[in-house]
Amino acid sequence: MSRTTSQQSSQAKRGKFGALALIFVSVVINYMDRTNISVAANAISEDLELTTIQMGLIFSAFAWTYSIMQIPGGMLVDAVRMRILYPTILVCWSLATLVQGMVSSLAAMIGCRMAIGVFEAPSYPANNKIVTHWFAEHERASAIAVYTSGQFIGLAFLMPFLAVIQEFFGWRGLFIVSGLIGIVWAAIWYFLYRDPSPESESENSNVSERSSHSNSEPVVAQSAVSWNNLKIAFSHRKLWGIYIGQFCLGGTLIFFLTWFPTYLADYRGLGDLNSGFVASIPFLAAFCGVLLSGFISDALVKKGYSKEFSRKAPIVVGMLLSTSVIGANYVDSTVMVTFFLSLTFFGNGLASIAWVFVSLIAPRHMVGLVGGCFNFIGGLSAVTVPLAIGYLAKDGDFRPALVMICCLALMGLCSYLFLVGKIEPIELSEQEKAQ
C-alpha cells in the first residue's frame, strides 16, 4: 500500500510540474505575440507612414478586446476543459499574429491586434485555474512566480532574437515566424497536457482548506456562469483593491511591452538593433524580481508569518521600486538610464505575484470569473497607457510619460495598503448565496 501511495505521489509531482512547464512556455509565446509589435514599431511606422499617435492606437488595440473579453474568457475557463480550450486559443491568436505580416494598412493592423486580444483573453485566467487545481495553497505563489517569469525571461532573450529576425527578414517575416511558433506549440500542448486526477485535486483542495479556513463553511455549490456571480465579483472592497492594483501594475508593464524599444531607439538614439539588446537587460531584472517574490513569499508563509506580510510585502516593495522610473528623466548616459529602468522593471516583477490574491480571496467556485475581472481591469491599463504615452511623447519627449508611470506605481501601492485588507477568502452573505 505504501509503495502504491509513493508511486501516486511521484506521478502527481511529475504531473503538476509538467503542467507548470507547459504554462511557462505558453506564457513566453503569449508575450512574444503581444510584444513583437514593439520591436517592429519603427519599421512599421516608416513603411506605413504612421505617426506616434497612430502607433499608440496600434499598441492599445490589443487591449481593447483583451480587456472586454476577460470576463467572458473567465467564464469560458470555468466551463471548458483546459486540454481543449488552451490549444484552441493558442492556434487562433497565432494565426492572427501571422496575418499581421501580410497587411498594409492601419485599419488592418488594428484589426489583427484586436483579434489577438480576443483569443489571448482566457489565457491568464486559465493559467491561474490550472495552478489552483494542481498546486496546494502554500505552493501557489511559487508556481505563479515561475510561470509569470516566462513573460520576462522569454522576452529578455527574445528581444535580441526578434530584433535579429527583423534585421534579416523584415517586420513582416517577424510576425510570420512568431505565428508559426505558436501553432506548433498548440499541437504540443494538446498531446502533453492532462487534467489533474480527482485524487490529486481533492488533496490540494484539502490542504488549502486546512491552511486557510479550516473552520469555515463548505464551498457553495453554484455555477460560476451567472449574473449574480458577476455582481459579487464587483461588489467587494478586497477585490477592488487587487483590481486597481493590477491596473497600476499593468501600467508599468505595458510601457516596457510597447513603447520601451521606441524610447531607446528614438529618444535615447540607440537604433533598432542596439535597442533590442539593451532592452533585454530590464527584462532579466524583472525575471529575477518575479522569481524572488514568489519563493520568498511562500517561504515566509511556511515560516509562520502572516498572509498580510508574506503576500503583500513583495508587492509593496515592488511598487516602491517601480517609482524609480522617474530617475531616467534626470540622467543622460545609457548605463544610468538602463540602471533606473532595470530597477523599475525589477520592482514590477517583484509585484507580479498579484495573481496569488485571486486564488486566496475569490470564492472557490468563482476563481476563473474573478481572474477574468482582475485581468479585465488590469487590461484597461493596456488600453489607456499606450495611447496616453503616444500623446505625451508626440513631440519626441518621453519625460512626462515616465512621470505618469511613477504616479501609477504610487496609486497601486496605496490600493494594496488601504483597500485589500486581511488576506482571507471572501465569505458570501446569505443573500448572495440565495440569489
Side-chain angles (χ1 to χ4, degrees), residues 247-260:
F247 176 90
C248 297
L249 189 69
T252 301
L253 176 62
I254 201 64
F255 165 70
F256 284 94
L257 298 184
T258 56
W259 283 107
F260 180 44

mmCIF file with all atom_site columns, all heavy atoms in Angstrom, residues 247-260:
data_model
loop_
_atom_site.group_PDB
_atom_site.id
_atom_site.type_symbol
_atom_site.label_atom_id
_atom_site.label_alt_id
_atom_site.label_comp_id
_atom_site.label_asym_id
_atom_site.label_entity_id
_atom_site.label_seq_id
_atom_site.pdbx_PDB_ins_code
_atom_site.Cartn_x
_atom_site.Cartn_y
_atom_site.Cartn_z
_atom_site.occupancy
_atom_site.B_iso_or_equiv
_atom_site.pdbx_formal_charge
_atom_site.auth_seq_id
_atom_site.auth_comp_id
_atom_site.auth_asym_id
_atom_site.auth_atom_id
_atom_site.pdbx_PDB_model_num
ATOM 1   N N   . PHE A 1 247 ? -4.304 47.192 -12.320 1.00 0.00 ? 247 PHE A N   1
ATOM 2   C CA  . PHE A 1 247 ? -4.290 48.257 -13.336 1.00 0.00 ? 247 PHE A CA  1
ATOM 3   C C   . PHE A 1 247 ? -2.985 49.038 -13.260 1.00 0.00 ? 247 PHE A C   1
ATOM 4   O O   . PHE A 1 247 ? -2.341 49.306 -14.281 1.00 0.00 ? 247 PHE A O   1
ATOM 5   C CB  . PHE A 1 247 ? -5.484 49.203 -13.134 1.00 0.00 ? 247 PHE A CB  1
ATOM 6   C CG  . PHE A 1 247 ? -5.498 50.374 -14.074 1.00 0.00 ? 247 PHE A CG  1
ATOM 7   C CD1 . PHE A 1 247 ? -6.144 50.283 -15.292 1.00 0.00 ? 247 PHE A CD1 1
ATOM 8   C CD2 . PHE A 1 247 ? -4.861 51.566 -13.746 1.00 0.00 ? 247 PHE A CD2 1
ATOM 9   C CE1 . PHE A 1 247 ? -6.155 51.359 -16.182 1.00 0.00 ? 247 PHE A CE1 1
ATOM 10  C CE2 . PHE A 1 247 ? -4.866 52.647 -14.619 1.00 0.00 ? 247 PHE A CE2 1
ATOM 11  C CZ  . PHE A 1 247 ? -5.514 52.532 -15.843 1.00 0.00 ? 247 PHE A CZ  1
ATOM 12  N N   . CYS A 1 248 ? -2.583 49.392 -12.047 1.00 0.00 ? 248 CYS A N   1
ATOM 13  C CA  . CYS A 1 248 ? -1.360 50.193 -11.874 1.00 0.00 ? 248 CYS A CA  1
ATOM 14  C C   . CYS A 1 248 ? -0.121 49.377 -12.206 1.00 0.00 ? 248 CYS A C   1
ATOM 15  O O   . CYS A 1 248 ? 0.821  49.892 -12.818 1.00 0.00 ? 248 CYS A O   1
ATOM 16  C CB  . CYS A 1 248 ? -1.299 50.710 -10.442 1.00 0.00 ? 248 CYS A CB  1
ATOM 17  S SG  . CYS A 1 248 ? -2.662 51.813 -10.010 1.00 0.00 ? 248 CYS A SG  1
ATOM 18  N N   . LEU A 1 249 ? -0.120 48.117 -11.806 1.00 0.00 ? 249 LEU A N   1
ATOM 19  C CA  . LEU A 1 249 ? 0.992  47.228 -12.143 1.00 0.00 ? 249 LEU A CA  1
ATOM 20  C C   . LEU A 1 249 ? 1.117  47.095 -13.664 1.00 0.00 ? 249 LEU A C   1
ATOM 21  O O   . LEU A 1 249 ? 2.216  47.138 -14.234 1.00 0.00 ? 249 LEU A O   1
ATOM 22  C CB  . LEU A 1 249 ? 0.764  45.862 -11.512 1.00 0.00 ? 249 LEU A CB  1
ATOM 23  C CG  . LEU A 1 249 ? 1.901  44.841 -11.568 1.00 0.00 ? 249 LEU A CG  1
ATOM 24  C CD1 . LEU A 1 249 ? 3.057  45.274 -10.676 1.00 0.00 ? 249 LEU A CD1 1
ATOM 25  C CD2 . LEU A 1 249 ? 1.401  43.468 -11.139 1.00 0.00 ? 249 LEU A CD2 1
ATOM 26  N N   . GLY A 1 250 ? -0.034 46.956 -14.321 1.00 0.00 ? 250 GLY A N   1
ATOM 27  C CA  . GLY A 1 250 ? -0.040 46.832 -15.773 1.00 0.00 ? 250 GLY A CA  1
ATOM 28  C C   . GLY A 1 250 ? 0.431  48.078 -16.481 1.00 0.00 ? 250 GLY A C   1
ATOM 29  O O   . GLY A 1 250 ? 0.963  48.001 -17.592 1.00 0.00 ? 250 GLY A O   1
ATOM 30  N N   . GLY A 1 251 ? 0.254  49.253 -15.852 1.00 0.00 ? 251 GLY A N   1
ATOM 31  C CA  . GLY A 1 251 ? 0.692  50.494 -16.469 1.00 0.00 ? 251 GLY A CA  1
ATOM 32  C C   . GLY A 1 251 ? 2.197  50.523 -16.710 1.00 0.00 ? 251 GLY A C   1
ATOM 33  O O   . GLY A 1 251 ? 2.663  50.958 -17.764 1.00 0.00 ? 251 GLY A O   1
ATOM 34  N N   . THR A 1 252 ? 2.957  50.043 -15.713 1.00 0.00 ? 252 THR A N   1
ATOM 35  C CA  . THR A 1 252 ? 4.410  49.959 -15.884 1.00 0.00 ? 252 THR A CA  1
ATOM 36  C C   . THR A 1 252 ? 4.769  48.896 -16.906 1.00 0.00 ? 252 THR A C   1
ATOM 37  O O   . THR A 1 252 ? 5.609  49.104 -17.791 1.00 0.00 ? 252 THR A O   1
ATOM 38  C CB  . THR A 1 252 ? 5.091  49.636 -14.544 1.00 0.00 ? 252 THR A CB  1
ATOM 39  O OG1 . THR A 1 252 ? 4.760  50.651 -13.593 1.00 0.00 ? 252 THR A OG1 1
ATOM 40  C CG2 . THR A 1 252 ? 6.598  49.565 -14.692 1.00 0.00 ? 252 THR A CG2 1
ATOM 41  N N   . LEU A 1 253 ? 4.135  47.736 -16.778 1.00 0.00 ? 253 LEU A N   1
ATOM 42  C CA  . LEU A 1 253 ? 4.432  46.623 -17.680 1.00 0.00 ? 253 LEU A CA  1
ATOM 43  C C   . LEU A 1 253 ? 4.192  46.996 -19.137 1.00 0.00 ? 253 LEU A C   1
ATOM 44  O O   . LEU A 1 253 ? 5.020  46.705 -20.011 1.00 0.00 ? 253 LEU A O   1
ATOM 45  C CB  . LEU A 1 253 ? 3.596  45.411 -17.298 1.00 0.00 ? 253 LEU A CB  1
ATOM 46  C CG  . LEU A 1 253 ? 3.712  44.175 -18.202 1.00 0.00 ? 253 LEU A CG  1
ATOM 47  C CD1 . LEU A 1 253 ? 5.137  43.631 -18.188 1.00 0.00 ? 253 LEU A CD1 1
ATOM 48  C CD2 . LEU A 1 253 ? 2.723  43.096 -17.761 1.00 0.00 ? 253 LEU A CD2 1
ATOM 49  N N   . ILE A 1 254 ? 3.072  47.677 -19.408 1.00 0.00 ? 254 ILE A N   1
ATOM 50  C CA  . ILE A 1 254 ? 2.713  47.937 -20.799 1.00 0.00 ? 254 ILE A CA  1
ATOM 51  C C   . ILE A 1 254 ? 3.670  48.941 -21.441 1.00 0.00 ? 254 ILE A C   1
ATOM 52  O O   . ILE A 1 254 ? 3.877  48.908 -22.662 1.00 0.00 ? 254 ILE A O   1
ATOM 53  C CB  . ILE A 1 254 ? 1.243  48.420 -20.899 1.00 0.00 ? 254 ILE A CB  1
ATOM 54  C CG1 . ILE A 1 254 ? 0.714  48.197 -22.318 1.00 0.00 ? 254 ILE A CG1 1
ATOM 55  C CG2 . ILE A 1 254 ? 1.102  49.880 -20.502 1.00 0.00 ? 254 ILE A CG2 1
ATOM 56  C CD1 . ILE A 1 254 ? 0.650  46.747 -22.731 1.00 0.00 ? 254 ILE A CD1 1
ATOM 57  N N   . PHE A 1 255 ? 4.271  49.820 -20.645 1.00 0.00 ? 255 PHE A N   1
ATOM 58  C CA  . PHE A 1 255 ? 5.297  50.710 -21.197 1.00 0.00 ? 255 PHE A CA  1
ATOM 59  C C   . PHE A 1 255 ? 6.461  49.885 -21.755 1.00 0.00 ? 255 PHE A C   1
ATOM 60  O O   . PHE A 1 255 ? 6.940  50.124 -22.863 1.00 0.00 ? 255 PHE A O   1
ATOM 61  C CB  . PHE A 1 255 ? 5.808  51.675 -20.129 1.00 0.00 ? 255 PHE A CB  1
ATOM 62  C CG  . PHE A 1 255 ? 7.104  52.362 -20.515 1.00 0.00 ? 255 PHE A CG  1
ATOM 63  C CD1 . PHE A 1 255 ? 7.129  53.309 -21.526 1.00 0.00 ? 255 PHE A CD1 1
ATOM 64  C CD2 . PHE A 1 255 ? 8.295  52.034 -19.877 1.00 0.00 ? 255 PHE A CD2 1
ATOM 65  C CE1 . PHE A 1 255 ? 8.320  53.928 -21.893 1.00 0.00 ? 255 PHE A CE1 1
ATOM 66  C CE2 . PHE A 1 255 ? 9.494  52.650 -20.235 1.00 0.00 ? 255 PHE A CE2 1
ATOM 67  C CZ  . PHE A 1 255 ? 9.510  53.594 -21.246 1.00 0.00 ? 255 PHE A CZ  1
ATOM 68  N N   . PHE A 1 256 ? 6.907  48.891 -20.979 1.00 0.00 ? 256 PHE A N   1
ATOM 69  C CA  . PHE A 1 256 ? 8.023  48.060 -21.423 1.00 0.00 ? 256 PHE A CA  1
ATOM 70  C C   . PHE A 1 256 ? 7.641  47.160 -22.592 1.00 0.00 ? 256 PHE A C   1
ATOM 71  O O   . PHE A 1 256 ? 8.487  46.814 -23.422 1.00 0.00 ? 256 PHE A O   1
ATOM 72  C CB  . PHE A 1 256 ? 8.544  47.213 -20.259 1.00 0.00 ? 256 PHE A CB  1
ATOM 73  C CG  . PHE A 1 256 ? 9.380  47.990 -19.284 1.00 0.00 ? 256 PHE A CG  1
ATOM 74  C CD1 . PHE A 1 256 ? 8.812  48.544 -18.143 1.00 0.00 ? 256 PHE A CD1 1
ATOM 75  C CD2 . PHE A 1 256 ? 10.731 48.190 -19.503 1.00 0.00 ? 256 PHE A CD2 1
ATOM 76  C CE1 . PHE A 1 256 ? 9.577  49.273 -17.246 1.00 0.00 ? 256 PHE A CE1 1
ATOM 77  C CE2 . PHE A 1 256 ? 11.510 48.917 -18.614 1.00 0.00 ? 256 PHE A CE2 1
ATOM 78  C CZ  . PHE A 1 256 ? 10.929 49.464 -17.479 1.00 0.00 ? 256 PHE A CZ  1
ATOM 79  N N   . LEU A 1 257 ? 6.365  46.784 -22.667 1.00 0.00 ? 257 LEU A N   1
ATOM 80  C CA  . LEU A 1 257 ? 5.936  45.893 -23.740 1.00 0.00 ? 257 LEU A CA  1
ATOM 81  C C   . LEU A 1 257 ? 5.621  46.623 -25.042 1.00 0.00 ? 257 LEU A C   1
ATOM 82  O O   . LEU A 1 257 ? 5.498  45.980 -26.085 1.00 0.00 ? 257 LEU A O   1
ATOM 83  C CB  . LEU A 1 257 ? 4.691  45.106 -23.304 1.00 0.00 ? 257 LEU A CB  1
ATOM 84  C CG  . LEU A 1 257 ? 4.837  44.171 -22.098 1.00 0.00 ? 257 LEU A CG  1
ATOM 85  C CD1 . LEU A 1 257 ? 3.548  43.399 -21.880 1.00 0.00 ? 257 LEU A CD1 1
ATOM 86  C CD2 . LEU A 1 257 ? 6.009  43.225 -22.250 1.00 0.00 ? 257 LEU A CD2 1
ATOM 87  N N   . THR A 1 258 ? 5.473  47.938 -24.985 1.00 0.00 ? 258 THR A N   1
ATOM 88  C CA  . THR A 1 258 ? 5.088  48.671 -26.192 1.00 0.00 ? 258 THR A CA  1
ATOM 89  C C   . THR A 1 258 ? 6.113  49.753 -26.560 1.00 0.00 ? 258 THR A C   1
ATOM 90  O O   . THR A 1 258 ? 6.866  49.612 -27.513 1.00 0.00 ? 258 THR A O   1
ATOM 91  C CB  . THR A 1 258 ? 3.698  49.302 -26.026 1.00 0.00 ? 258 THR A CB  1
ATOM 92  O OG1 . THR A 1 258 ? 3.675  50.151 -24.862 1.00 0.00 ? 258 THR A OG1 1
ATOM 93  C CG2 . THR A 1 258 ? 2.624  48.229 -25.889 1.00 0.00 ? 258 THR A CG2 1
ATOM 94  N N   . TRP A 1 259 ? 6.169  50.822 -25.774 1.00 0.00 ? 259 TRP A N   1
ATOM 95  C CA  . TRP A 1 259 ? 6.949  51.993 -26.156 1.00 0.00 ? 259 TRP A CA  1
ATOM 96  C C   . TRP A 1 259 ? 8.429  51.920 -25.794 1.00 0.00 ? 259 TRP A C   1
ATOM 97  O O   . TRP A 1 259 ? 9.223  52.742 -26.271 1.00 0.00 ? 259 TRP A O   1
ATOM 98  C CB  . TRP A 1 259 ? 6.350  53.258 -25.512 1.00 0.00 ? 259 TRP A CB  1
ATOM 99  C CG  . TRP A 1 259 ? 5.129  53.753 -26.194 1.00 0.00 ? 259 TRP A CG  1
ATOM 100 C CD1 . TRP A 1 259 ? 3.838  53.666 -25.748 1.00 0.00 ? 259 TRP A CD1 1
ATOM 101 C CD2 . TRP A 1 259 ? 5.053  54.432 -27.456 1.00 0.00 ? 259 TRP A CD2 1
ATOM 102 N NE1 . TRP A 1 259 ? 2.975  54.243 -26.652 1.00 0.00 ? 259 TRP A NE1 1
ATOM 103 C CE2 . TRP A 1 259 ? 3.691  54.721 -27.713 1.00 0.00 ? 259 TRP A CE2 1
ATOM 104 C CE3 . TRP A 1 259 ? 5.998  54.813 -28.404 1.00 0.00 ? 259 TRP A CE3 1
ATOM 105 C CZ2 . TRP A 1 259 ? 3.265  55.375 -28.846 1.00 0.00 ? 259 TRP A CZ2 1
ATOM 106 C CZ3 . TRP A 1 259 ? 5.576  55.473 -29.546 1.00 0.00 ? 259 TRP A CZ3 1
ATOM 107 C CH2 . TRP A 1 259 ? 4.222  55.745 -29.758 1.00 0.00 ? 259 TRP A CH2 1
ATOM 108 N N   . PHE A 1 260 ? 8.823  50.984 -24.955 1.00 0.00 ? 260 PHE A N   1
ATOM 109 C CA  . PHE A 1 260 ? 10.194 50.956 -24.455 1.00 0.00 ? 260 PHE A CA  1
ATOM 110 C C   . PHE A 1 260 ? 11.254 50.883 -25.563 1.00 0.00 ? 260 PHE A C   1
ATOM 111 O O   . PHE A 1 260 ? 12.197 51.684 -25.569 1.00 0.00 ? 260 PHE A O   1
ATOM 112 C CB  . PHE A 1 260 ? 10.344 49.797 -23.453 1.00 0.00 ? 260 PHE A CB  1
ATOM 113 C CG  . PHE A 1 260 ? 11.717 49.658 -22.864 1.00 0.00 ? 260 PHE A CG  1
ATOM 114 C CD1 . PHE A 1 260 ? 12.424 50.767 -22.419 1.00 0.00 ? 260 PHE A CD1 1
ATOM 115 C CD2 . PHE A 1 260 ? 12.303 48.412 -22.741 1.00 0.00 ? 260 PHE A CD2 1
ATOM 116 C CE1 . PHE A 1 260 ? 13.696 50.631 -21.858 1.00 0.00 ? 260 PHE A CE1 1
ATOM 117 C CE2 . PHE A 1 260 ? 13.568 48.267 -22.190 1.00 0.00 ? 260 PHE A CE2 1
ATOM 118 C CZ  . PHE A 1 260 ? 14.263 49.386 -21.742 1.00 0.00 ? 260 PHE A CZ  1
#
